[in-house]
């Protein structure tokens, strides 16, 4: 057992003894401290029109550069880097302009522009976050989101209002692409390899468009598109055991061979086994059916996988 003690300091009774020790710490002539003097009003005048115009020019240059790089697109890695640079540039432009004491006649337009820059910085940041959580599966999707949203348009509109009032904000951005919903028809091959058997695969689509891939030895044999609630069929599948993968999402990107938005990647726990048996009187072969809509009566669980695990 551990005992703990607490030592408390206490004043003792009154009189001429040690209990009066506090008296020596008090000044008999102590008076309340006087109040702090009120701060002097700022004598710094607002920016002149020329100074304000120069501030606009210097703050917008990094943002223009970052947005131009972002608009060019390129690899997903390049877009991610440009998103970071653009978000930082928009936030810094907002900070510098928000702190400025601007000419009185431009206050309303200036405040609207500053607010729009803040909103743009937030939107760029959330778009960057969406690149990591599957909301925007490609750099192209991130750009299209900005092109279809309101934050970039608001920044351009408020910059234009400053221009109409005699101050060139200098925000110049080429039009970003808009979001779309590209789709293939059910049964369209994304990839088709060697098939010289008799097996048949029947697929019933789920709640989103999907691409189903059958793979052997870690390599895709074929990949086929299936629309939401649609049906697809693949014939002439060679005998063997195949792992079944599928990716779902919105807006098929044929170049990247993935969905642009809301993409998920999954794998069936069970494999698809195709066999062919030939006798003197008949030939029997496997017709394998899979459904992509999750149901309580399903007989094969699916597990999420990383995008890089999908065979190519």
């Amino acid at each position: 057992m551990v005992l703990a003690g607490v030592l408390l300091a206490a004043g003792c009774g009154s009189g001429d003894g040690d209990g009066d020790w506090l008296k020596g710490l008090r000044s008999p002539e102590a008076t309340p401290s006087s109040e702090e003097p009120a701060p002097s009003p700022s004598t710094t005048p607002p920016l002149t029109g020329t100074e304000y115009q120069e501030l606009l020019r210097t703050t917008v240059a990094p943002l223009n550069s970052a947005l131009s790089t972002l608009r060019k697109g390129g690899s997903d890695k390049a877009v991610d880097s440009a998103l970071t640079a653009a978000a930082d540039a928009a936030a810094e432009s907002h900070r510098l302009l928000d702190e400025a004491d601007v000419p009185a006649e431009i206050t309303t337009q200036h405040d609207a522009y500053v607010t729009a820059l803040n909103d743009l910085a937030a939107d760029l940041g959330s778009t960057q976050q969406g690149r990591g959580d599957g909301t925007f599966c490609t750099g192209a999707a991130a750009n299209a989101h900005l092109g279809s949203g309101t934050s970039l348009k608001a920044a351009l509109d408020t910059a234009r209002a400053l221009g109409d009032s005699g101050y060139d904000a200098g925000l110049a951005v080429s039009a970003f692409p808009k979001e779309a919903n590209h789709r293939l028809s059910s049964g369209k091959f994304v990839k088709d390899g060697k098939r010289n058997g008799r097996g048949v695969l029947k697929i019933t689509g789920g709640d989103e468009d999907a691409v189903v891939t059958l793979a052997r030895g870690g390599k895709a044999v074929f990949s086929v598109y299936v629309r939401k609630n649609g049906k697809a069929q693949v014939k002439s599948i060679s005998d063997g055991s195949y792992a079944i993968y599928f990716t779902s999402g919105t807006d098929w990107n044929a170049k990247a061979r993935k969905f642009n938005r809301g993409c998920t990647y999954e794998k069936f726990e069970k494999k698809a086994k195709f066999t062919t048996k030939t006798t003197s009187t008949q030939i029997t072969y496997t017709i394998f059916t899979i459904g992509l809509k999750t149901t309580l009566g399903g007989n094969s669980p699916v597990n999420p996988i990383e995008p890089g695990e999908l065979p190519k």
Side-chain angles (χ1 to χ4, degrees), residues 192-197 220-222 236-238 242:
D192 191 12
K194 184 178 181 181
R195 292 179 291 114
N196 54 11
V221 176
F222 64 83
S236 304
I237 300 174
S238 303
Y242 298 80

Side-chain angles (χ1 to χ4, degrees), residues 128-159:
Q128 184 181 33
Q129 182 178 356
R131 283 282 297 120
D133 64 18
T135 302
F136 307 115
C137 313
T138 63
N143 274 350
H145 168 72
L146 291 169
S148 298
T150 60
S151 64
L152 183 57
K153 182 179 183 301
L156 290 168
D157 287 346
T158 53

Side-chain angles (χ1 to χ4, degrees), residues 255-295:
K255 182 178 180 180
R257 293 179 65 178
K258 62 174 69 173
F259 290 100
N260 277 325
R261 302 189 301 276
C263 52
T264 59
Y265 297 85
E266 297 173 275
K267 178 184 179 181
F268 280 87
E269 283 190 1
K270 292 184 178 180
K271 291 187 174 183
K273 296 181 180 180
F274 293 86
T275 58
T276 302
K277 295 181 180 179
T278 303
T279 68
S280 59
T281 58
Q282 65 180 2
I283 299 176
T284 59
Y285 55 87
T286 302
I287 299 177
F288 199 94
T289 301
I290 60 174
L292 302 183
K293 185 173 293 187
T294 303
T295 61

Side-chain angles (χ1 to χ4, degrees), residues 14 39 48 67 73 91 96 102 105 114 129 145 159 181 187 200 232 244 246 258 263 266 298 305:
S14 60
T48 66
L67 288 174
L96 292 172
V102 303
E105 71 273 10
V114 168
Q129 182 178 356
H145 168 72
N181 186 17
V200 177
I244 312 169
F246 65 100
K258 62 174 69 173
C263 52
E266 297 173 275
I305 61 172

Side-chain angles (χ1 to χ4, degrees), residues 50-79:
T50 300
E51 291 170 334
Y52 180 57
Q53 180 60 72
E54 179 62 16
L55 178 62
L56 288 172
R57 185 188 68 81
T58 55
T59 55
V60 81
L63 180 56
N64 274 339
S65 177
L67 288 174
S68 176
T69 301
L70 179 60
R71 173 63 183 84
K72 291 177 183 176
S75 67
D76 288 353
K77 184 176 181 180
V79 169

Side-chain angles (χ1 to χ4, degrees), residues 189-258:
F189 284 102
V190 173
K191 175 181 178 177
D192 191 12
K194 184 178 181 181
R195 292 179 291 114
N196 54 11
R198 293 181 177 271
V200 177
L201 174 66
K202 293 184 177 181
I203 308 167
T204 300
D207 295 328
E208 295 181 294
D209 284 14
V211 172
V212 176
T213 297
L214 263 61
R216 295 181 68 181
K219 294 184 178 181
V221 176
F222 64 83
S223 299
V224 63
Y225 198 96
V226 188
R227 287 195 173 195
K228 173 182 176 180
N229 297 323
K231 294 182 182 294
Q233 181 172 284
V234 180
K235 298 180 178 180
S236 304
I237 300 174
S238 303
D239 286 357
S241 182
Y242 298 80
I244 312 169
Y245 300 80
F246 65 100
T247 176
S248 304
T250 301
D251 190 23
W252 179 250
N253 187 321
K255 182 178 180 180
R257 293 179 65 178
K258 62 174 69 173

